[in-house]
Amino acid sequence: MPSQYFVNGKIFTGKNERDFVSAMKVTDGKIEWIGPSEQADAPDPVDLQGKTVVPGFIDAHAHPRLLADIAGQAAITIPEVTNIEEAIAALKKQAEKTPDGGWIEGWGWDETKLLDGRPLNRFDLDRVSTERPVHVMRSDFHSSAVNSKALELAGIDKSTADPFGGEIQRDENGDPTGIMIENANRLIENAKPKKTEEERIEGIVRTGRRLARFGITSVAEMMGRWNDLSLFRKAEKRGFKQRLVLYLLWEEVKELGIRRLEERDLNGRIRIGGVKLFMDGTISGKTAWMKAPYPGTGGKGHADLHEGRIAGSRRIRQKERDPAGDPCHGRPGHRRDSPHL
């Protein structure tokens, strides 16, 4: 590939906050020279017209697989949606675009931003549909609201027990309100039809293009699963260009066991960076675990970490140690002969 010069720009060098140059030379996708535009010896340079050039951004805590899933859903966010009536209207429009019988889905509501000052519930969402399931994630993606049909498909009623680290919110009679908190969301997710591998790959490729438009060249997947390694690598062959670090959910490791890792699993463009354990929820959703109750409530949040989880993760970590018992991970000049996770 021939070299290409770029001139008349404001190119950030990274040496300090104010160090910029006006020109650069790119060969085979790599910047091999920077300097003043007057020294750019090229017959047909690209004129940046004063635009700023910075290195690619690294999003160190993201959910590209989730972004791919919600791309076609209704955005229940301000300023487009300011109250519950507008949320219902947006979801009804979403229903028109969703195949018959399919789940009507949305995301982004926040009761602290809605003029009504309260969360969506099943009675609101029953106005969208009583025949089809409706599921709308909160802005923090730690809680959600569903309609009566979704509760029915998930087998949730007055007798359903709260899962550990989660809550099925109930009214004064003990009936579910449709608000699913933290780990209770999994009951809903398990009731949904699974996307095909092809659908997931296409969604990831589209998400990669969107990330690129915002200058994001590296990203972390913080809700990783074992099969995501294969999924993202297949997406890479189809045009997913970001470097990606996968953090595996602890539940995934605990359920499916420890696997032997290859060199590319540790150091490739699509690689594993670690294991993620949840301690609790979010401040805005009042699910972060607190010593004192949240103002206006009797709740202190939801703990999702206990001694069994800590001990289990400790065993995983011990398996990552070398024969002498010293942790190799992250030590300069050390590399495991038999890497496991």
Side-chain angles (χ1 to χ4, degrees), residues 14-253:
K15 293 179 181 179
N16 59 59
E17 293 179 0
R18 299 187 179 185
D19 196 71
F20 291 83
V21 296
S22 61
M24 64 183 180
K25 177 185 177 183
V26 178
T27 304
D28 294 331
K30 294 183 178 180
I31 299 171
E32 61 176 27
W33 173 85
I34 57 173
S37 296
E38 295 77 18
Q39 296 180 12
D41 185 17
D44 190 25
V46 174
D47 189 347
L48 294 173
Q49 301 179 5
K51 293 179 180 178
T52 300
V53 177
V54 297
F57 297 122
I58 299 172
D59 192 333
H61 186 124
H63 304 279
R65 190 160 50 83
L66 175 62
L67 291 175
D69 286 345
I70 69 172
Q73 297 178 10
I76 310 301
T77 56
I78 57 171
E80 287 79 11
V81 174
T82 62
N83 57 49
I84 287 175
E85 287 300 319
E86 291 176 353
I88 292 170
L91 290 164
K92 285 182 177 179
K93 288 183 180 179
Q94 182 68 19
E96 295 173 1
K97 300 186 294 183
T98 305
D100 290 345
W103 284 64
I104 302 165
E105 297 177 285
W107 63 276
W109 60 270
D110 182 342
E111 69 280 6
T112 68
K113 304 291 192 300
L114 295 174
L115 295 176
D116 309 78
R118 67 170 179 83
L120 294 166
N121 58 41
R122 70 180 173 97
F123 304 107
D124 301 318
L125 300 184
D126 282 349
R127 292 174 56 195
V128 177
S129 178
T130 57
E131 303 297 323
R132 300 168 63 184
V134 182
H135 182 212
V136 192
M137 293 298 299
R138 192 179 183 273
S139 58
D140 59 3
F141 286 85
H142 281 246
S143 301
S144 69
V146 297
N147 69 343
S148 298
K149 187 63 176 181
L151 290 171
E152 175 191 330
L153 292 175
I156 298 171
D157 57 24
K158 182 183 291 189
S159 65
T160 306
D162 289 341
F164 176 81
E167 178 187 352
I168 302 167
Q169 193 181 84
R170 306 166 197 272
D171 62 19
E172 62 276 8
N173 299 316
D175 294 311
T177 64
I179 298 173
M180 313 298 289
I181 299 172
E182 294 295 339
N183 288 346
N185 287 299
R186 296 176 188 172
L187 303 177
I188 301 299
E189 292 297 335
N190 290 339
K192 289 183 179 181
K194 305 304 179 187
K195 290 190 175 183
T196 66
E197 181 179 87
E198 180 63 21
E199 288 172 331
R200 290 204 172 277
I201 292 172
E202 288 181 359
I204 290 170
V205 172
R206 286 194 299 270
T207 297
R209 295 194 191 106
R210 180 170 176 78
L211 293 173
R213 288 200 296 272
F214 288 96
I216 297 173
T217 57
S218 298
V219 66
E221 170 55 76
M222 299 303 297
M223 298 281 283
R225 302 184 181 278
W226 279 118
N227 64 4
D228 285 344
L229 272 177
S230 171
L231 200 66
F232 278 102
R233 284 171 180 159
K234 289 177 180 178
E236 182 183 24
K237 293 179 180 179
R238 302 261 288 272
F240 182 79
K241 298 184 182 299
Q242 283 75 18
R243 290 180 178 273
L244 182 131
V245 180
L246 196 69
Y247 288 86
L248 293 165
L249 290 170
W250 163 244
E251 289 79 10
E252 183 84 355
V253 176

Side-chain angles (χ1 to χ4, degrees), residues 263-325:
E263 174 67 20
R264 69 170 183 162
D265 298 332
L266 298 169
N267 298 305
R269 287 183 59 84
I270 310 291
R271 65 181 178 88
I272 290 178
V275 176
K276 178 177 180 178
L277 289 85
F278 278 93
M279 289 185 63
D280 55 1
T282 67
I283 296 289
S284 70
K286 297 183 175 62
T287 58
W289 194 21
M290 297 296 199
K291 291 183 178 179
Y294 284 92
T297 75
K300 298 181 180 181
H302 294 268
D304 199 25
L305 193 64
H306 53 76
E307 186 56 39
R309 274 189 161 196
I310 296 172
S313 65
R314 190 179 295 124
R315 288 193 296 272
I316 292 288
R317 206 168 52 180
Q318 287 170 349
K319 286 181 178 291
E320 282 284 273
R321 294 174 180 266
D322 65 17

Side-chain angles (χ1 to χ4, degrees), residues 328-340:
C328 292
H329 197 68
R331 290 171 59 195
H334 287 71
R335 183 165 293 173
R336 292 180 293 269
D337 293 326
S338 301
H340 290 76

